[in-house]
């Protein structure tokens, strides 16, 4: 079993492992994106993209949904989701 000394180590490892997943739904990709941005930058204080920028707007909304969540909580939620996706892959 791998032992991690901090939430940061768990998070960093999960950000690498996520690329080993072959199939991730768009919904989960956006959720992971929002959690990642919240975990690394905090609340989304950027200007909302134009409605013609579909991809940018979807990513902006995914991050905005995580507003108010602390960075540590966002990191743990990210790790949990990556673990769930790996469990589905191997289950």
């Amino acid at each position: 079993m791998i032992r991690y000394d901090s939430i940061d180590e768990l998070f960093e490892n999960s950000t690498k492992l996520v690329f080993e997943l072959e199939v991730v739904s768009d919904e989960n990709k956006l959720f992971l994106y929002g959690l990642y941005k919240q975990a690394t930058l905090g609340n989304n204080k950027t200007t909302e993209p134009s409605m013609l920028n579909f991809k940018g707007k979807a990513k902006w909304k995914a991050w905005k949904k995580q507003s108010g969540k602390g960075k540590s909580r966002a990191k743990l939620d990210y790790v949990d989701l990556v673990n769930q996706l790996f469990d589905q892959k191997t289950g």
Side-chain angles (χ1 to χ4, degrees):
M1 177 173 203
I2 299 172
R3 183 179 168 324
Y4 294 98
D5 292 325
S6 72
I7 293 168
D8 292 330
E9 284 182 280
L10 267 170
F11 177 70
E12 287 302 316
N13 187 54
S14 293
T15 62
K16 294 172 187 163
L17 287 174
V18 76
F19 291 103
E20 294 179 21
L21 292 166
E22 295 170 14
V23 178
V24 179
S25 70
D26 288 342
E27 181 181 347
N28 281 327
K29 284 179 187 176
L30 284 170
F31 197 60
L32 285 166
Y33 175 84
L35 288 170
Y36 179 85
K37 294 295 269 188
Q38 187 69 19
T40 56
L41 299 173
N43 290 337
N44 183 351
K45 297 178 183 171
T46 63
T47 305
E48 186 174 359
S50 157
M51 69 173 149
L52 298 176
N53 180 353
F54 300 110
K55 186 175 182 179
K57 189 158 182 116
K59 291 168 86 175
W60 185 88
K61 284 182 177 180
W63 180 13
K64 194 73 171 174
K65 285 181 184 177
Q66 302 304 322
S67 288
K69 186 177 286 189
K71 288 183 177 184
S72 293
R73 179 77 257 164
K75 287 177 183 180
L76 288 172
D77 288 352
Y78 185 97
V79 169
D80 287 344
L81 180 54
V82 170
N83 285 334
Q84 288 173 23
L85 294 172
F86 265 98
D87 286 346
Q88 290 173 6
K89 175 184 171 183
T90 59

